[in-house]
Amino acid sequence: MKTHYDLAIVGAGPAGMSAAVKAASAGLSVAVFDEQTAPGGQIYRSVGLPALIDQSILGADYYYGAKLVDSFGRSLSNSQVKKSSIGDTCCNVDYYNSASVWEITADRQICVSLAGRSSCFQAQRILLATGAQERPVPFPGWTLPGVMTCGAAQILLKSSGLTPSAPLVLAGSGPLLLLIACQLLRAGQSISAILETTPRENQLRSAKHLFGALKGWRYLVKGMRLLAELKKSGVKHIKGASQLQGIAGESGCIDAVSYLHKNQVSRIACKTLLVHQGVVPNVQLGRSIGLKHRWSDEQQCWHPDTDDWGESSDSGIFVAGDSAGIGGALAAEQQGLLSALQISYQLKKLSKTERSDQAKPLQAELSKQLAIRPFLDVAYRPAKEFLNPADETIVCRCEEVTAGNIRHFVKDGCTGPNQAKAFGRSGMGPCQGRLCGLTVSQIIAEERSVRVDEVGYYRIRPPIKPLNLGELASMAKETS
């Protein structure tokens, strides 16, 4: 098995696939490591072999990804993805699916779990294209069986063509909330209600960004079409809902959701509650390497600090796509291409002129794709009750630490999330802080009356994914 590459890419979503194809075409040897069984990432999951026959359910934006997967398949030197007979082949990419990267070292060694064994690979350059994750949605009752994220429901639809059990309620904020509602309706699923928790004051705050958003008018049109589709369906769409709470039935599963609307508490029966509060960059791997990150007040999350080509604070390690900052699938594709151009230039496969000439149209397209982001970031900023939940709300699901516990830790002298581990084990469970990290930092910052970037984030240590002793033992035998 080949173990040395010019470029190693973690993630086979739009950024990872486009970067791999571009780098391979420049003559670089490329390895792509991806946790899924097939390329596409979360946004284009299973697009190479769709579970749904009716393409109108998921829409044209989803099936656009088939072109990327096809191009990626034609660049492979191994046969894990069926190659197309269309066009020329540049078989210079090794694709490792079902691969879990659990450590990247300072000398750019990539440690990966593959088929129950751990192996190490070496690369001159590394591109992290790990995408986004849904923002944690802590509210009373969010840990009940039957409560899922909208992203989880969409994965179910893309992978298996299945929909969650009815009666079904959607609650939250953001474009994906509207999209998944429409996709479920097209699939024949009934929806009892949509509870939109977007604060009304966001409309006024986002108005100053509306002129800039007009450059991304296509996204505005898509949003208006989704709203029109929901209105035509007759689904109850309640805007300005707050004080969300999941209520358990006799079985211990969710039985209803209560909410406040126009000073009146109401309740809707449900067997499934889908929640969503936007997406945030997946920063775990970059954090474990020690890349510099900065706090974004607009997106209320951490971003790796990168230059215009995606190169991080650690020279030779790049970050592209939503893992570098939320921009969407089309922006991720352009960012992957730009990183590949810079890497090809650094490894002397392209001249500076060739790199710059090829980059100009990509940079123009990227600017167009990102034009709407300031508007969306403000318009769909989560309500404070989700960023700084009430005391009784569980924040760390793994260790069952509540928001009230975190506040008490601060009163007892805790100054940051890493100290909070010692005070109450928050962030020390199987998810390693993925579901509580943002909330813990924000609660501590509010209690101390300081900025979130002053409080910081968890120190992420490898292995960042589950690893058994047998895998470590097999690595020891190989090196002995």
Side-chain angles (χ1 to χ4, degrees), residues 60 315 371:
S315 178

Side-chain angles (χ1 to χ4, degrees), residues 138 197 199 201 277 381-390 407 446:
T197 63
E201 58 266 25
Q277 290 292 334
R381 178 171 173 162
K384 187 176 180 180
E385 66 183 91
F386 300 107
L387 299 177
N388 289 281
R407 293 186 176 103
E446 183 176 77

Side-chain angles (χ1 to χ4, degrees), residues 268-333:
I268 301 177
C270 64
K271 191 174 181 179
T272 304
L273 174 62
L274 300 183
V275 295
H276 180 73
Q277 290 292 334
V279 295
V280 296
N282 182 350
V283 299
Q284 295 293 105
L285 189 53
R287 284 278 185 181
S288 73
I289 302 170
L291 304 185
K292 183 179 178 182
H293 285 69
R294 55 186 171 82
W295 176 255
S296 168
D297 284 323
E298 294 77 17
Q299 294 188 349
Q300 288 291 294
C301 59
W302 297 96
H303 296 185
D305 198 356
T306 58
D307 65 14
D308 292 340
W309 302 98
E311 191 163 16
S312 71
S313 58
D314 191 336
S315 178
I317 297 182
F318 291 70
V319 190
D322 280 349
S323 52
I326 305 304
L330 297 181
E333 184 181 346

Side-chain angles (χ1 to χ4, degrees), residues 159-178:
S159 301
S160 308
L162 300 175
T163 59
S165 300
L168 171 68
V169 174
L170 283 79
S173 178
L176 183 61
L177 182 79
L178 307 178

Side-chain angles (χ1 to χ4, degrees), residues 18 55 71 74 79 127 139 148 152 198 285 372 382 385 413 420 432 437 466:
S18 63
Q55 293 194 6
S71 178
R74 285 186 274 118
S79 58
L127 173 63
F139 64 92
M148 301 168 54
T198 309
L285 189 53
I372 198 172
E385 66 183 91
Q432 294 184 294

